[in-house]
Amino acid sequence: MAELLPIRSVPPEVARGVSLVEFVRFWNQRQNLGLPALHREILAWLEQSWLDGKRELLLLVFRDAGKSTLVGLFAAWLLLRDPGLRILVLAAEQALARKMVRNVKRIIERHPLTISLRPMRRDQWAADQFTVQRAKEWRDPSMLARGLNGNITGCRADIVLCDDVEVPATCETPAKREELRARLAEIDYVLVPEGTQLYIGTPHSYYSIYALEPRREINEDAPFLAGFQRLVLPVLDEQGESRWPERFPRERLEVIRRRTGPARFAAQMLLQPTSAENGRLDPNMIAGYRDDLKVEVLSGERLCIEIGGRRMVSASCWWDPSFGSPRKGDGSVIAAVFADGEGGYWLHRIEWLQQDPRDPTDAATQLCRQAAQFAKALYLPAIRLETNGLGKFLPGLLRRALAEAECGTGVIECTSRKAKAVRILEAFDTVLAAGALKAHDSVAQTPFFSEMREWRPGRQGRSSLGRDDGLDAVAGCLLSEPVRLGMLPSRPGRPNWRLGGETHVAASDFEP
């Protein structure tokens, strides 16, 4: 590449035609910095995307790669080409957004090619916003900084730069992730037609806004940034070599991996959407299956139930009742786990029961009727009802609902004496380690797997982060003794499917 000409020999109209790479290289030379191949690749992508008219862009680059600095230079280059542009910077916090604006302001002040952009009035040169010399009279400044919680109503922008809007503080819980998506949806009311959105960051959650695949368990039909042009540059390339070996040799990467842990390294350096913290319960250790119950009448009242060609010998059902909605308070979750004769567990169904406020029937009866239909559909011999708190008022109502449903299912009242986190660990640790738990595909449509990824055991047996209602219900199933035929009588006319427990009259050859 030829040496840049002295700035005094570059007329303003020629300066506006300088490529982005040359613009940055000229700046770096004055800062005694080089231009690594990684940065040239990013700059070439940004410039070509802009020239090609691509207006929805996502730049994912590993931590400490200088991506925000490069995007700041990109913003200054855009203002050099068109001083009439209005750029809005959104970040997780106002301070982060101001940092980006301050960086661009400093570039315009000191870069020889942008001297003509400096305004005449000092009031147009603030820390969180500035306006360059331009022919157009806009109400909005050339560049404006806003945190996600800041007010952007009434703003208009040609370009919105979303710089690290996803950080732990904005994505560590389902409520925060929902709020993040809602705030980012406001961009559509700020951006002018044919305006540009550019996201820059790294994933901090399995449910990241940057995820390439939709997360069905949070009701995503498409990725949040579906249709965006992506440049994804993890620290290791396709051959497993460092993309910036001068700054990140393999030895340093191994040190970072050891110090931060594999989960955080995968998220921040390899750009794999996963929780930045190591979770205790790994959903990837649960195999999925699609098979439904296969019910076959053998003889008399005996049934044979199979899943995936395996005969089931027992089943457990646990219901931890609650009147809270799934979004507020505890969820009312009922789960059913079948067991085969080889020590395998099959999580076949889990449901979050909800009351309908429009139904004149009282909430408790509504929930009991839903639980009864759940048990009837799966031929469950009994429902274990947790009677801590609310549950102590429900056994009678539940028995009446089961009788109305004519399903012959019994009710076993249970009281939990151990802390919830302790029960969850005792139930899942060994089963997951042995690979003995499978889950029906319908389970993936519920919050269950999300709870597994988010759950952290806290102190004194409490959960430190995330919901655990579904985990608690399945843990109750796994810890329950299998309910077999002999424990509760079946209702007349209700076929049995479990082994053993029938009445048998033996022949004898003596007189009483």
Side-chain angles (χ1 to χ4, degrees), residues 163-370:
D163 183 28
D164 279 329
V165 290
E166 180 177 290
V167 296
T170 61
C171 71
E172 63 184 356
T173 66
K176 290 182 178 181
R177 290 193 293 270
E178 185 175 352
E179 182 181 1
L180 171 62
R181 284 162 167 79
R183 294 295 297 171
L184 294 176
E186 293 292 319
I187 292 176
D188 291 330
Y189 298 101
V190 172
L191 201 63
V192 300
E194 304 301 321
T196 297
Q197 295 184 62
L198 171 58
Y199 282 80
I200 316 106
T202 55
H204 284 265
S205 167
Y206 177 79
Y207 302 100
S208 172
I209 60 172
Y210 311 130
L212 185 59
E213 301 294 333
R215 304 310 189 200
R216 303 297 183 186
E217 58 265 43
I218 58 173
N219 300 318
E220 276 191 346
D221 295 325
F224 181 75
L225 297 180
F228 275 61
Q229 298 293 320
R230 294 169 173 255
L231 179 63
V232 182
L233 297 174
V235 70
L236 299 179
D237 61 18
E238 293 78 5
Q239 289 73 40
E241 300 297 329
S242 174
R243 291 186 185 275
W244 196 352
E246 299 84 3
R247 186 178 180 89
F248 292 98
R250 292 304 296 260
E251 296 78 12
R252 185 183 177 192
L253 292 178
E254 288 303 317
V255 170
I256 295 174
R257 191 196 303 269
R258 288 196 305 269
R259 289 180 177 175
T260 62
R264 187 177 295 275
F265 185 86
Q268 298 294 285
M269 303 303 287
L270 301 181
L271 308 178
Q272 299 171 1
T274 183
S275 174
E277 297 183 24
N278 289 305
R280 182 64 180 268
L281 306 179
D282 185 2
N284 296 323
M285 301 177 72
I286 300 179
Y289 67 93
R290 298 182 178 179
D291 305 88
D292 289 324
L293 296 183
K294 180 180 179 182
V295 183
E296 181 181 358
V297 179
L298 297 180
S299 62
E301 294 186 350
R302 176 187 286 279
L303 292 182
C304 173
I305 288 185
E306 294 184 353
I307 301 178
R310 290 193 180 184
R311 186 170 183 177
M312 300 296 108
V313 297
S314 65
S316 297
C317 176
W318 186 276
W319 180 26
D320 182 9
S322 170
F323 289 155
S325 67
R327 296 182 182 271
K328 297 180 180 179
D330 294 333
S332 186
V333 184
I334 187 170
V337 174
F338 288 82
D340 58 36
E342 301 177 16
Y345 295 92
W346 305 70
L347 174 55
H348 197 67
R349 287 291 186 275
I350 182 170
E351 290 186 10
W352 272 250
L353 307 182
Q354 300 183 53
Q355 55 177 300
D356 185 353
R358 299 168 298 179
D359 192 329
T361 308
D362 64 276
T365 300
Q366 287 186 49
L367 296 179
C368 287
R369 288 175 177 173
Q370 293 176 42

Side-chain angles (χ1 to χ4, degrees), residues 7-29:
I7 189 60
R8 59 181 179 272
S9 66
V10 181
E13 61 274 11
V14 175
R16 295 189 180 95
V18 170
S19 71
L20 178 58
V21 173
E22 289 294 293
F23 180 84
V24 174
R25 192 166 73 91
F26 194 93
W27 171 260
N28 284 359
Q29 284 180 347

Side-chain angles (χ1 to χ4, degrees), residues 410-421:
V411 177
I412 301 176
E413 301 177 33
C414 299
T415 302
S416 297
R417 294 180 173 83
K418 292 184 178 181
K420 185 183 293 188

